[in-house]
Amino acid sequence: MEVPSRQVAVAKIERILARELGTIHKDWGGRIPVALIYPNTYYLGMSNLGLHAIYSLLNRYPDFVCERVFYDSFGLSLESARELMEFPVVAFSFSFEEDYQRAVEMLRLARIPPYAEERDETYPLLIAGGVAVTANPEPLAPFFDAFALGEGEALIPPLVELLRWSLGESRDALLHQLAALPGIYVPRFYGVEYGDEGLITSINAQPGIPYPVHRQCARNLEAFPIASVIFTPDTAFGDMYLMEVERGCGRGCRFCLAGHIFRPFRARSVPTLLALAREGLMHRRRVGLVGSAVFDHPQLENLLAGLEAMGARVSISSLRLDALTDDLLGVLKASRSRTVTPA
């Protein structure tokens, strides 16, 4: 990656922010700063509803400030143009394995040793999460201090509480406390052995370290309404307000990663979703319904009818042909949906 001067990088960030609506700016005084990194382009990262969710969840805490960093923001945070070394906590969100190399490149650019064993308390605490590492964190195990496995709504509250009181302790003491949290995997406390074909043959945890590490799941989605936080035309869904309708899937297709690691199937209520849509329609006329099995929502027809009554134009992330009915097609047509993605 060719890195421009700081002046050029800051000018690019200013142009990005000028086109955003909903950016969260916080003063750093008395707060714990967290750099939330999506190791790919701004265009792709801001298309990811999960990134919006983590950004919003962390910034809900008055004593935390979360700022975004992307591969093409050249190691600077968008909100304050600070470098990664200025953050005590650096959190990567991985959606795709192809982003692993970019993450290492970003660490080198920030003058942060990529290998965890080479870092002490003078460097930020590096945490990784997201669907890719929840499925398999081992390829990145040498590089990160800890992995958050599962859903952010369940992982963030205890993690925030621990960081609030223990961030200033020695790295080893902090990692021992992190390893005790549900869903947090700290690689240095586990011995992983591989066979001839590169498959894991055994995993051994140090004394006092919990094993296995269980993926965390948010049981009550009603407490965590997830929708677009920042609006920008510089993304794949720039004309749309995205909101998560449901999560997980009960079908268990073997080829589907999301259908396995986001189990069980959970649907948000129609009143909650319509309240979210009402807020989103103040910014965008098109509402995007996000989920791994949107057409499995038990009250989808009622939801679509409510959105139609609001005057919303509706897009659906994907639909199953075996769940498609004439009534649902009629509602989609009435909402002026032009395309659908069948599966």
Side-chain angles (χ1 to χ4, degrees):
M1 175 173 58
E2 184 177 347
V3 181
S5 67
R6 178 179 175 86
Q7 183 179 4
V8 172
V10 170
K12 177 182 178 180
I13 288 173
E14 290 175 347
R15 289 194 297 271
I16 290 173
L17 293 178
R19 293 165 62 84
E20 285 190 348
L21 177 67
T23 315
I24 300 173
H25 293 278
K26 283 186 176 182
D27 184 87
W28 279 35
R31 293 187 171 95
I32 297 174
V34 179
L36 177 59
I37 299 183
Y38 193 88
N40 209 308
T41 64
Y42 174 89
Y43 182 89
L44 289 178
M46 291 306 295
S47 305
N48 186 301
L49 190 56
L51 189 78
H52 288 249
I54 301 302
Y55 180 74
S56 175
L57 287 168
L58 283 171
N59 276 314
R60 287 181 190 177
Y61 294 91
D63 54 344
F64 276 72
V65 51
C66 177
E67 300 188 355
R68 297 161 294 152
V69 182
F70 298 93
Y71 181 73
D72 54 356
S73 67
F74 309 111
L76 301 179
S77 68
L78 263 60
E79 284 75 6
S80 66
R82 283 181 164 90
E83 298 181 3
L84 294 188
M85 278 294 292
E86 299 181 66
F87 291 84
V89 181
V90 172
F92 280 78
S93 177
F94 289 100
S95 298
F96 309 103
E97 290 86 348
E98 291 88 344
D99 291 339
Y100 294 172
Q101 182 176 343
R102 296 186 186 91
V104 173
E105 189 177 349
M106 293 178 73
L107 292 176
R108 292 191 186 279
L109 174 64
R111 301 181 303 280
I112 297 174
Y115 288 102
E117 64 183 14
E118 298 175 354
R119 299 191 300 267
D120 56 20
E121 293 83 0
T122 62
Y123 293 99
L125 176 74
L126 263 60
I127 302 176
V131 62
V133 298
T134 294
N136 180 16
E138 271 313 291
L140 288 174
F143 306 105
F144 284 87
D145 299 308
F147 293 88
L149 306 182
E151 299 176 1
E153 297 92 341
L155 290 159
I156 286 177
L159 183 59
V160 161
E161 186 68 17
L162 188 151
L163 293 175
R164 182 179 286 141
W165 301 110
S166 303
L167 192 56
E169 297 186 12
S170 70
R171 183 56 50 92
D172 191 65
L174 176 59
L175 292 179
H176 270 91
Q177 294 181 63
L178 281 168
L181 294 181
I184 302 298
Y185 168 49
V186 180
R188 76 163 61 179
F189 299 140
Y190 297 85
V192 181
E193 297 181 4
Y194 295 87
D196 294 336
E197 297 181 356
L199 300 177
I200 294 175
T201 57
S202 66
I203 301 177
N204 301 299
Q206 291 183 12
I209 301 298
Y211 179 77
V213 181
H214 293 287
R215 172 183 63 87
Q216 297 301 292
C217 172
R219 296 294 176 179
N220 179 20
L221 290 188
E222 292 292 289
F224 304 99
I226 299 300
S228 298
V229 177
I230 296 173
F231 299 92
T232 172
D234 301 319
T235 185
F237 307 109
D239 66 338
M240 203 178 300
Y241 175 73
L242 302 178
M243 61 183 193
E244 187 185 47
V245 174
E246 53 77 22
R247 191 178 298 175
C249 181
R251 299 176 185 270
C253 302
R254 298 296 295 174
F255 61 83
C256 179
L257 178 61
H260 284 271
I261 68 172
F262 291 133
R263 288 181 177 179
F265 176 81
R266 291 147 288 161
R268 288 190 170 85
S269 69
V270 170
T272 294
L273 293 171
L274 291 180
L276 277 177
R278 193 170 293 110
E279 180 179 340
L281 287 172
M282 293 188 292
H283 307 289
R284 297 290 189 270
R285 297 311 305 169
R286 182 176 292 279
V287 174
L289 308 184
V290 178
S292 54
V294 173
F295 266 47
D296 285 348
H297 192 289
Q299 295 183 300
L300 183 62
E301 292 190 29
N302 292 337
L303 173 60
L304 293 175
L307 292 171
E308 180 187 2
M310 291 181 181
R313 300 179 63 182
V314 178
S315 293
I316 295 180
S317 57
S318 65
L319 57 89
R320 291 181 60 95
L321 289 177
D322 56 5
L324 193 59
T325 66
D326 289 341
D327 289 340
L328 287 173
L329 273 176
V331 174
L332 287 175
K333 181 180 178 181
S335 69
R336 292 173 288 176
S337 291
R338 291 188 174 185
T339 61
V340 294
T341 304

